Every structure is written in C-alpha cells, then in structure tokens.
Amino acid sequence: MATEAAPDDGSDAPDAYDALLERAKRWNAVGSAAGVLGWDQQVMMPEGGTPARSKQLSALSSVRHDMLTDDETADLLAELSDADLTDEESAVVREIRRDHERADAVPGELVERISEASSEALAAWEEARAEDDFEAFAPHLERQVELKREYADHVAPDRDPYEVLFEEYEPCLSIERAEEILEELRETLVPVIDAIRESDRDLAVDTFEGTFPTDDQEALARDALETVGYDFDRGRLDVSSHPFTSGNQFDCRVTTRFDESDPLAAVGSTIHEFGHAQYNLGLPREHWGTPLGESRDLSVHESQSRLWENHVGRSRAFWELFLPAFKERFPDTADATVEDAYEAVNQVYEDNLVRVEADELTYHLHIVVRFEIERDLVRGDLAIEDVPEVWNDKYEEYLGIRPESDAEGCLQDIHWSHGNFGYFPTYSLGSVMAAQLYAAAESEIDDLEGSIADGDFDPLREWLGENVHRHGSRYETNELVRRATGEDFSADAFLAYVDEKYGELYDL
Amino acid sequence: MATEAAPDDGSDAPDAYDALLERAKRWNAVGSAAGVLGWDQQVMMPEGGTPARSKQLSALSSVRHDMLTDDETADLLAELSDADLTDEESAVVREIRRDHERADAVPGELVERISEASSEALAAWEEARAEDDFEAFAPHLERQVELKREYADHVAPDRDPYEVLFEEYEPCLSIERAEEILEELRETLVPVIDAIRESDRDLAVDTFEGTFPTDDQEALARDALETVGYDFDRGRLDVSSHPFTSGNQFDCRVTTRFDESDPLAAVGSTIHEFGHAQYNLGLPREHWGTPLGESRDLSVHESQSRLWENHVGRSRAFWELFLPAFKERFPDTADATVEDAYEAVNQVYEDNLVRVEADELTYHLHIVVRFEIERDLVRGDLAIEDVPEVWNDKYEEYLGIRPESDAEGCLQDIHWSHGNFGYFPTYSLGSVMAAQLYAAAESEIDDLEGSIADGDFDPLREWLGENVHRHGSRYETNELVRRATGEDFSADAFLAYVDEKYGELYDL
C-alpha cells in the first residue's frame, strides 16, 4: 500500500489512513457490542446466564484485541508515522497508536491471568468484607499488586509502575498534575472540614426523613431526567445494584438505585448518570467508532457527571425548579422549603466512613486515602499487611474518624479486587474539572442560574456540547480544558467554589 | 499440523478436531452475542439506537463469517476429511463443514447486496401493505427473487434453486419429503375444513369475549409459564411487537404480545415460545458453542413450540388445570367451563385471511399457498405480477374465502421482503413433527394426559429432553425423529390427531 501525501485541508487523507479508520470502526463496533452485553448482564440477564455471557464477552474482547494488534494495524500505523496528516487525522492516529501500543505490549496470557485472578479476588473480597477478615483478602490483594506491576513492566519497564497504571485510565494527563491536585485538595479541605465540624450552624437535615416508596422514587427519577432534558428516544432508565451509564451517541442508557429512606440520593445519582449519558449522546455521530467520536478519558467523563450532580443538582436554582415535582411525588414533604432542600443535599457528614455515601467535600479525602495507599503499594513502599492500619490512621488524620472494622475501612470498595490501581484519583480529578468547566460556563452564559431555575437547560447543555462533547478525543485532556476555560487544568475553581458555597452554608 | 488417528472411544480426538472445536466455540460465541443484541433491539433498545446497532450487528456478522471461512478453518476441515473420528466427532465435523461450505460459496458482496435490498424492500413492503399497493412492492419482490436465485446459483448451480434456498433453513431434510407432506396436508385438510364448515356444531366461541386489560394478561402469561415449568432463573418474559424466543442453554428468553380482546391468544403464544425456549434450555451445557450443543433446524424447533402450544395448550387436560388461574385473573369469566375453554381455543375460523391468527387446521393451508407461490417464483414458473391473483385463487380454492385486498392477501407477511424463500414450509413441517413426537411421548408416558391435568409436566419435559433436546445437532432431522418415535418423519400422526380431535369437536 503506497503512502500518498495529503493536502492539509483534510479532504484527501492517505489511503493508509482511510484503511486504518475502517479497521478502527470495526473493532470499536465489536467493543460497543460488548458494552451492550455488559449493560444487559447488569440490568436484564437472568442469573443462570453467567457462563455463556463470560464466554461471549471474552470472545469479543479477544476479537477486538486481535484486530487492534494484528500486523495489518501495525503496518498501517508504521506507514502513517511520517505521513502528511491534518490536525484531525493526526489526533486520530495518535489515539489509535496509543491503544495499539499498549495492547501490543502486554501479552495476552498476562491479561488472561489478571482476569482469572480478578475473578478469584472478587469472590474472596466479597467474603472477606462480609466476614470483616482482611487477612483472607490479603493474598489476593498481593497477587493483584504483583500482576499489575508485571503489567506495568511490559508497558514501560523503566517508568514508575503506578504512573503506568494510572495512564490506563488517564492516558493523557500527567501523574504529576494529578498528584499536585490531590495534595492541594487534602491540604485545603482538611482544615475546611475541621472548621465545618466546629461550626454552630445546624443544617435542615431532617426535613427529608421518612420512608419513600421506590416506585415513587423511580417516577421522581424520571421527572428529574425529563427536567434536565434527557433524550428518552436515545436512552432508557433502569434499576441496577450499582448505578452506571452505558452507550454511545445513538443509544446511551442510565441506571439508578433506590434507598427507601433517601430519595435525595436517587435524584443525585440519576442526575450524575445523566451527565455521563449527555456526554456520550453529544459526541459527533458522523465520527462514531473513531477517536473523534469517542469520549475523552475517565476524569473528563466524571467531570460531566459531577457537573450535573454537584453544580446543577446541588444548587438552589435547581431546587427552586424541582421541589414542586418532588412534593407532588411525596406529599408528606409539602412543608419543605427550597432552603431546606438545598441544605439537605449539601450537608457535610461528621461520621461517614463510606465513600459512596460521602458528601461533596469529604468525598475527596476518601479518595486521597485510597490514592496514597494504592500508589505506595504499587511502588513497593507499603506492605500489604500494613494496609488496614495505614488506612485507619489516614481516616483519623484527614477525616477525624477511625473505622472500627476493615469492612467499613479498607475492604469497602471493589476496585482493588479487580486490580484497578490508578482508578480512584479520576473521581476527584473529575469533580475538580467539573468546577472549572462550570465556572467557565457561568462566565459565558447570561444568567445561567436564572435559566436553571426557569427549567431552561439549553444554554448549559449547548455550552457543554460545544466545548466538550463535540470534540470527542480530538484534544488531550489539558488542551480540552484549556480550550473550554482559557486556563490549564487546576483545582483553583473548585477551591473557590468550596470557599464560597460552604463558607455561606456553615458561616465559616 | 499432523493428523493423529484417534481410537473410536472419543477420548482422544485428533489435534485438528480440537483446534476446529475451539474455533467454532469462538465464532459461535460471537454469533450468540449478536443474538443478545438482536433481542435487545426488539425488546429494549430506544428507537434512536438503530444506526449503531446495525453497524454492531454487521461487524459481528462479518467477524463470524471471516472465522468460519478463513484458511485455517478450511485447512482443519480438509485435514479432518480422512481422519478417524468417533460418531460424535463426525457429526460435529459434518455440521461445521456444511456451514463452512455454504458461507464459503457465497461472496460477501452478494450477502451485502441482499441485506441492502432487504432493508429497502422492508420499507417498501410496509408502505405497500399500508396503502394496499402491490405494484409498489412488486419491483422489490422481483429483485429479491433475482438475488436469491443468484445466491442459490453460487451454492449449487446445477440444482433446483428453491431446494437450495429451502436448505438454508432445513439443511438436512429433503425438499421431496417436505413437498410430499405439504401436498398431503392440502389434500387431507381441504375436505376436513369443508366438512367443518358444513357441520351443525356451534362451538362455545363467545365465552371469552370482552375486554381483558393487558396488565392482567401479562400476569396470566407469567402464570402460564410457571404452570408449564419455565425456569425464570434462566429466562425472562418481555413484550415485543412480534413474539419470539432468543438465547441458549444458560439464558433463553421469551416475549409475548397482548390483544385486549383475546387473552387466549396471549396464553397460546406464550406457551408456543416456551416450547422454543425449553428446547434451547435443554441443550447440553457442556457442548455450548459446538454443534452438539446447538438446536437442530427450524422444523425441529417449531415442533417443540407447536407441541406445547397445540398438544398441551389446546388440550382439555391443560384447561382443567389452568382455567382456575385464568378465572382468578379475569373474574368475569367465572362461569366458563373447561369445555368452553377447550372449544374456544380449538375453533376453526370460517373467514380468517390472516396466517398469524389462524387456527390449528387452516394454518397449514395458509402455508401451502405461500409455499406453492414462492416455489414457483423461485423456479421461474410464476411471474411477479401474477402473484396477487394466484394468491387469491388459491385462498378461494383451499380455504373457501377470497381476500378483497392485497393488504389482507399476498402483502400480509414480512418474509418475502427479507428474501426468506423456503422458510414458510418449516412452520407446517414443525407442526406435523409435533404431532408425531407427542404421539410417541403419549405411548411411552404412563397417563400423560392425567399428569398434565395434575400440573405435573416433568414426564413430558423429561421425555422431550431425553429424546430431542439433549442430542443438539448430533442427528440429522429424520434420524432424530426416527430415534424419538421409531418411525420416519411423516404426517400420519398429525392426520390421525386431526381426525380424532376435530371429528369429535365438530361431529364429523
């Protein structure tokens, strides 16, 4: 196949580029088919279906891997390495090359060993958590650390293994930037949370106590999605034990879950997933199956969910709009005021040990604890057996509370049983990015708060579509943020937001 | 790869056999993943999802096709052509070879042209049916006939093209046998139906008239599935516009639909799909993904659905058992007797023109009309423009009624717009086979009718599992029937059943 020089207008790409794009569309179609099977598995599949589903998913995964790493893909990438490409084409080749190189570097048998070890570790973790028995889980955790170090060693033997693992989730955000931001969060938030604990302000946290039937909560979750503008012709709302979002620009579905005692949590979680879905639904349709039609990485995805969850769903403007719908579903709350709702969704918990139930502030300290521990584990600076004590010490130091059991402590999350080291930081990075993007949207949209209170979400949806969604993976993360906000990615906007919002809420 | 002779005990297959089996498992896993996507498309997918779904399905289909036809598969099959194989291994190789040869014979571009023409024909058919405008559909039908003749020509240029197309659905049942059976049905049933029309017996057809809310019908459909023993841990019941069954031995799901005026139809349709599901769920788990773990062809599959629908669901014994559940859902029918129900589900319609609403007897004449027309079209013995008149003439001759419009006539079914010539006969063949299998089960099971009336379906389920399901595709169709019943596949049992049942019902 000959390389043809293409003029820089993008209209005449080299043949190798077109061929690579066709191949990418095919392996991405296979990957997105696997996504449908994953959704089905969590939402619809009867329990007996597991053996067949595992085989189907593993066949699709190995088909996709084979296409991504085969000689033809390698040859096309080699041919394109000195081709004359437009900016857009270069971005596409950059993204495909990165995926190809990582997939190519790691032997299939190691991927399989990790997958098997994960299945065993998952079962061991479930039991260990139920029995509060860290020692039973310790050998599995150790094995996952070893395997993931081996993995990192294949990808880049001379680099910090934690950095290499972090890049699995954030391939184009530097670990240094991530570490700086997490450190800044810890340094700033620990004293803020201390001050909140010492504050005399009592928030109206008991206005929404009671029992709220899940059928009505489901109707309310639908109300919330209608309110923010979810396109039900391209999506669905279902229930699953862990809320998630799955799909693409044509069909992107959300799930939620219900706790009879906490309808506000379901609203928040549903709006969170809406933010993820809105990102996927806003990706350019004509580029589906190519990097230009795929979302950027985990932190950017989380920025979209957190923006809607925190900056919209936890705002006074939103509750001015939505409280009447809430009261219609739950007439017992007829006396609640907008201020009551605002305070209830923004309360900072004094004694919560559980990450997934954390408020907007303490959340980041839950993440920092995990980040510091997993980084030290992977770097070999922390022994497995010391994890529980280090975990508890850090909770005491950062959050002022000490877990009384490992079940409530270092055994609470599923991630490490999957060997997902480097994943936790993306949650905090996404929240921080959400604040930066929202501040930029606020400065560019005329009376954004007013339009939210009026139920007009078009300006915000359009701003996000224009500045984030439509770019797909064209820009790397910092470049995307810089183009959207005029600034490099930083925690400044988040910390200013915390200062203003919680200063007012708690009279700090 | 060297061929190793294997001893005949099946424990030591040649390497090429094991390699072929591994490959087949992979392409079948991909195929069954496509099945999940198909189910989702009809049951769950929001309408906006179509463009992505088409691409996902086409990618999976071409991945599967590539694996089935590539050099490695061809080489393994060549190597195994003179290998020493057990009976079981030979059956596996026979089935894979058949699939491989057909897939290999037909150029991918023709498959793509047929698929494109089908999409266009489907849209044209929907419009033509709505407008009662056969002429608008005629060019599309002509194109499908041409393309399918071209297809047949690739597979076997010297054979009858209709036979070749029939084998797409019935690869191991001869067209001669099929034609004989359909002719026998026509010759026997036309006079029986005439006699029924002349009978003075009025069946209790108006006992179940009224309006029956679909929510209650759905609950009743679940009751029916519970009654016959559907395993909800390996399945689901959902609603779709056309009822269907989808899945494998681990997870096999059924759908149904509801007509507010006809709750008996929903019960029958649900039990029909249960029969299909029960077959798949009864396939050997350890052979999933290989021919030994796959169902035989369409007629055998239809025999399982029809057996449950007609021989169980239309029996007095079943209504003795099920009528109380029916009355509980629909208390307005409290006065209905078992005999009322039996007559209502077995009435032979005098003026029904629609295949999918036909009773157990006239159904076959609907099929014979389609079979004769499509066979003549494919063989070049009938011109497209003559289809409506020939259709109407045949309805008049066989069923004593003449459609007043093509919408109610030759435009009523979707099949020809898909180019599915050769598919219709499998419906009748399956019903005939159902009667033969049921008669054998009756003769081997002690008081089968009594056990049904008692709600004990274990004996029947076990007999079918033992004699049909567990064999997968090990035996070709006639061999499977012969082993189960002791006789070659024939219409004898069906015609005896008709004679006895309808003779009594209508005093013939």
Side-chain angles (χ1 to χ4, degrees), chain A residues 131-385:
Chain A
E131 309 272 320
D132 187 26
D133 181 2
F134 179 78
E135 271 181 44
F137 180 56
H140 294 277
L141 180 56
E142 183 148 27
R143 176 107 184 97
Q144 289 291 29
V145 171
E146 275 164 18
L147 286 167
K148 281 305 191 91
R149 286 172 60 97
E150 192 180 334
Y151 179 100
D153 196 52
H154 279 286
V155 177
D158 301 325
R159 286 170 53 209
D160 166 22
Y162 186 71
E163 177 178 6
V164 173
L165 297 181
F166 175 71
E167 287 172 2
E168 184 88 4
Y169 311 108
E170 287 299 330
C172 52
L173 188 67
S174 78
I175 186 75
E176 290 79 18
R177 191 80 273 260
E179 293 204 56
E180 279 165 26
I181 288 175
L182 289 165
E183 201 160 319
E184 206 178 342
L185 291 177
R186 192 193 68 200
E187 284 170 3
T188 316
L189 295 179
V190 167
V192 171
I193 290 163
D194 271 351
I196 287 174
R197 300 229 160 117
E198 280 158 27
S199 156
D200 293 331
R201 277 282 278 129
D202 282 329
L203 300 200
V205 296
D206 49 5
T207 318
F208 296 93
E209 283 181 357
T211 300
F212 303 84
T214 56
D215 279 0
D216 298 320
Q217 289 198 43
E218 185 164 349
L220 183 71
R222 275 175 208 284
D223 295 341
L225 289 174
E226 300 272 5
T227 299
V228 291
Y230 183 57
D231 181 357
F232 277 98
D233 288 341
R234 294 189 291 150
R236 300 176 47 92
L237 171 67
D238 294 279
V239 177
S240 65
S241 57
H242 299 280
F244 71 105
T245 298
S246 170
N248 52 51
Q249 41 271 66
F250 298 96
D251 170 5
C252 191
R253 310 172 185 187
V254 298
T255 74
T256 192
R257 66 174 162 196
F258 305 109
D259 170 350
E260 283 216 320
S261 70
D262 193 355
L264 296 175
V267 172
S269 160
T270 304
I271 295 176
H272 176 101
E273 300 306 331
F274 164 78
H276 282 304
Q278 192 64 15
Y279 186 5
N280 289 359
L281 290 170
L283 293 165
R285 298 189 193 192
E286 68 277 19
H287 291 305
W288 181 62
T290 82
L292 300 175
E294 306 239 303
S295 57
R296 199 61 276 175
D297 315 301
L298 293 191
S299 62
V300 179
H301 231 300
E302 191 75 4
S303 79
Q304 299 305 293
S305 56
R306 288 294 185 188
L307 186 148
W308 285 93
E309 179 189 4
N310 291 343
H311 297 273
V312 176
R314 285 184 155 124
S315 71
R316 278 194 182 87
F318 178 77
W319 285 97
E320 272 179 45
L321 171 71
F322 195 65
L323 191 57
F326 189 98
K327 290 179 180 180
E328 199 165 313
R329 298 288 174 197
F330 298 113
D332 287 354
T333 61
D335 295 337
T337 65
V338 171
E339 198 57 29
D340 290 339
Y342 180 69
E343 293 187 4
V345 296
N346 285 299
Q347 61 179 304
V348 176
Y349 300 109
E350 306 228 339
D351 54 2
N352 169 49
L353 288 160
V354 181
R355 178 183 62 84
V356 296
E357 294 169 7
D359 55 82
E360 201 181 4
L361 293 192
T362 56
Y363 189 85
H364 297 288
L365 300 178
H366 291 271
I367 294 299
V368 166
V369 169
R370 287 152 178 79
F371 160 69
E372 291 176 353
I373 290 175
E374 68 180 18
R375 181 193 56 190
D376 292 352
L377 278 175
V378 169
R379 287 184 181 160
D381 297 337
L382 174 66
I384 299 288
E385 69 213 42

Side-chain angles (χ1 to χ4, degrees), chain B residues 79-94:
Chain B
E79 196 178 332
L80 288 164
S81 61
D82 53 5
D84 188 11
L85 300 172
T86 64
D87 289 351
E88 192 173 281
E89 290 158 7
S90 297
V92 165
V93 173
R94 175 195 72 216

Side-chain angles (χ1 to χ4, degrees), chain A residues 26 32 40 56 233 253, chain B residues 26 32 40 48 56 66 253:
Chain A
R26 195 166 163 196
S32 74
D40 181 85
Q56 289 158 342
D233 288 341
R253 310 172 185 187
Chain B
R26 197 167 162 194
S32 75
D40 180 85
Q56 289 158 344
D66 289 353
R253 310 173 185 186

Side-chain angles (χ1 to χ4, degrees), chain B residues 409-447:
Chain B
C410 65
L411 286 172
Q412 72 181 258
D413 285 307
I414 198 172
H415 302 58
W416 291 343
S417 74
H418 288 325
N420 289 350
F421 307 113
Y423 192 114
F424 281 122
T426 69
Y427 290 130
S428 278
L429 298 170
S431 301
V432 165
M433 199 183 293
Q436 187 170 355
L437 291 168
Y438 193 79
E442 254 187 325
S443 77
E444 288 179 29
I445 297 168
D446 189 37
D447 191 20

Side-chain angles (χ1 to χ4, degrees), chain A residues 25-26 28-30 32-34 36-37 39-40 43-53 55-56 59-60 62-64 66-67 232-236 238 248 250-253 285 288, chain B residues 25-26 28-30 32-34 36-37 39-40 43-53 55-56 59-60 62-64 66-67 232-236 238 248 250-253 285 288:
Chain A
K25 284 181 186 171
R26 195 166 163 196
N28 282 322
V30 171
S32 74
V36 178
L37 267 64
W39 177 87
D40 181 85
V43 180
M44 295 293 161
M45 192 184 82
E47 59 175 330
T50 307
R53 185 55 46 90
K55 292 254 162 63
Q56 289 158 342
L60 296 188
S62 82
V63 163
R64 186 180 177 284
D66 289 353
M67 288 196 260
F232 277 98
D233 288 341
R234 294 189 291 150
R236 300 176 47 92
D238 294 279
N248 52 51
F250 298 96
D251 170 5
C252 191
R253 310 172 185 187
R285 298 189 193 192
W288 181 62
Chain B
K25 284 181 186 171
R26 197 167 162 194
N28 283 321
V30 172
S32 75
V36 178
L37 267 64
W39 176 86
D40 180 85
V43 181
M44 294 293 160
M45 191 184 80
E47 59 175 331
T50 307
R53 186 54 46 90
K55 292 253 161 64
Q56 289 158 344
L60 296 187
S62 82
V63 163
R64 185 180 177 285
D66 289 353
M67 288 195 262
F232 278 98
D233 288 342
R234 293 190 290 150
R236 301 174 47 93
D238 294 279
N248 51 53
F250 298 95
D251 170 5
C252 193
R253 310 173 185 186
R285 297 189 193 192
W288 181 62

Side-chain angles (χ1 to χ4, degrees), chain A residues 65-116:
Chain A
H65 182 270
D66 289 353
M67 288 196 260
L68 180 60
T69 56
D70 70 9
D71 291 346
E72 202 173 328
T73 301
D75 290 348
L76 291 168
L77 282 167
E79 197 179 331
L80 287 164
S81 63
D82 52 6
D84 188 12
L85 300 172
T86 64
D87 288 352
E88 193 173 280
E89 290 158 10
S90 296
V92 165
V93 173
R94 175 195 73 216
E95 295 294 321
I96 295 177
R97 186 186 305 283
R98 188 192 293 122
D99 287 352
H100 165 79
E101 285 175 353
R102 181 166 283 236
D104 199 44
V106 183
E109 63 80 29
L110 175 57
V111 174
E112 228 158 86
R113 271 192 291 144
I114 292 175
S115 155
E116 280 164 25

